[in-house]
Amino acid sequence: MLKKSEKIICIKFKNQVLNKIFSELIFNLNDEIDDVKFILCNPSDKIIELSEYFISDNDSITQLIESDISKKIKKFFLISNKPINIKSNIEIVNYDLPLKFLNFIDYIVSDLRQNFNKQNKIIFLNKLSYDKSARKIFNEKISLILTEKENEIFCYLLESGTSVSKNVLLKNIWRYNEGIDTHTLETHIYSLRRKLEKKLEIKNILEHKGKGYFLNKSLL
């Protein structure tokens, strides 16, 4: 049974030699690597729908790209001496034969872990996603980049989920004491609100309520 912490790499070959080699490697790989599970997949396997990474040959990639699950696939690792000639938005990394299999596996596992860690830093909202490290609010059609301070304000308000006073924002973002002028904060709030409303085309998303500011994340 698949653990929640495990990431899946599907292996699918029409080439019988490659299929045999990986069939023999899989048991040891799954025994040694705790957070990644390698699976030999058939088109009928439901688990194939859970994987975003595939190790394949030319014929198998063509079949997968033409299938319904292609929308969920992020990357192919193609083992072939011939580059594939097919139009696709999916990233294809080509590896020639002969291949150092263990080095190849190490690279794939490292790449998958990096991608998984990056995904975990992304907050998925109703219509948009937010990547704090990239200072970006985005979906398939929109990409809004925030300044450093705009990003800190947005993140703080997003995580608070309630109205936050000016003094609290100044203390936590600028490390100011309560006696500092709030003009700097108000300037950044104005800039942030303008960006959100103009780029995202959402009104009343960042409101001034009482003595503080409220980010209506239900609109995002």
Side-chain angles (χ1 to χ4, degrees):
M1 182 177 290
L2 192 68
K3 300 175 184 176
K4 288 185 178 180
S5 60
E6 286 180 322
K7 297 163 277 295
I8 304 168
I9 297 177
C10 274
I11 300 169
K12 190 173 187 306
F13 294 113
K14 285 195 174 182
N15 183 297
Q16 294 303 311
V17 175
L18 289 172
N19 200 64
K20 184 175 185 299
I21 291 171
F22 276 89
S23 297
E24 293 170 354
L25 279 174
I26 275 182
F27 180 80
N28 288 333
L29 290 172
N30 288 335
D31 191 49
E32 293 174 7
I33 304 173
D34 293 332
D35 60 331
V36 176
K37 189 173 185 65
F38 293 85
I39 298 174
L40 279 173
C41 297
N42 295 313
S44 58
D45 292 340
K46 288 187 177 180
I47 200 163
I48 202 171
E49 299 177 4
L50 301 176
S51 180
E52 296 177 338
Y53 276 42
F54 281 78
I55 302 172
S56 303
D57 55 13
N58 284 62
D59 291 336
S60 295
I61 282 185
T62 302
Q63 183 182 17
L64 288 164
I65 287 176
E66 293 173 352
S67 70
D68 292 337
I69 66 162
S70 63
K71 294 178 182 178
K72 297 182 180 180
I73 300 173
K74 289 190 173 177
K75 186 176 289 189
F76 283 113
F77 294 93
L78 170 64
I79 300 179
S80 174
N81 287 327
K82 297 184 296 182
I84 192 166
N85 185 20
I86 189 169
K87 290 184 178 180
S88 173
N89 294 324
I90 304 169
E91 183 180 356
I92 300 175
V93 181
N94 202 140
Y95 284 86
D96 294 335
L97 292 168
L99 188 71
K100 292 183 179 179
F101 284 95
L102 294 181
N103 290 343
F104 171 70
I105 293 298
D106 285 344
Y107 174 81
I108 293 175
V109 170
S110 176
D111 189 271
L112 179 56
R113 284 171 176 160
Q114 288 178 19
N115 183 65
F116 183 80
N117 291 336
K118 183 179 179 181
Q119 281 185 324
N120 278 356
K121 294 177 182 177
I122 296 175
I123 298 172
F124 297 98
L125 304 165
N126 293 327
K127 303 174 184 176
L128 297 153
S129 298
Y130 170 56
D131 186 339
K132 181 181 178 181
S133 61
R135 307 199 312 269
K136 183 168 70 171
I137 304 167
F138 64 97
N139 60 22
E140 292 179 356
K141 298 180 180 179
I142 298 170
S143 180
L144 172 60
I145 303 297
L146 304 175
T147 66
E148 185 176 343
K149 286 303 180 188
E150 288 170 352
N151 188 52
E152 290 183 53
I153 294 168
F154 180 86
C155 184
Y156 196 90
L157 293 175
L158 182 67
E159 292 176 348
S160 297
T162 185
S163 180
V164 180
S165 72
K166 295 179 181 179
N167 287 336
V168 169
L169 286 172
L170 286 169
K171 182 179 179 181
N172 286 279
I173 295 173
W174 276 273
R175 307 292 186 266
Y176 286 179
N177 61 45
E178 294 183 3
I180 295 295
D181 187 0
T182 61
H183 177 71
T184 300
L185 170 62
E186 291 167 354
T187 300
H188 284 283
I189 289 285
Y190 173 80
S191 175
L192 175 59
R193 181 190 291 118
R194 187 177 179 185
K195 278 187 178 180
L196 293 172
E197 293 187 351
K198 184 177 180 180
K199 186 72 175 181
L200 306 183
E201 298 181 346
I202 303 174
K203 299 296 182 182
N204 303 318
I205 189 170
L206 178 52
E207 299 178 287
H208 189 193
K209 286 193 172 184
K211 296 182 179 180
Y213 294 99
F214 173 71
L215 180 70
N216 191 348
K217 62 181 179 183
S218 67
L219 299 175
L220 292 168

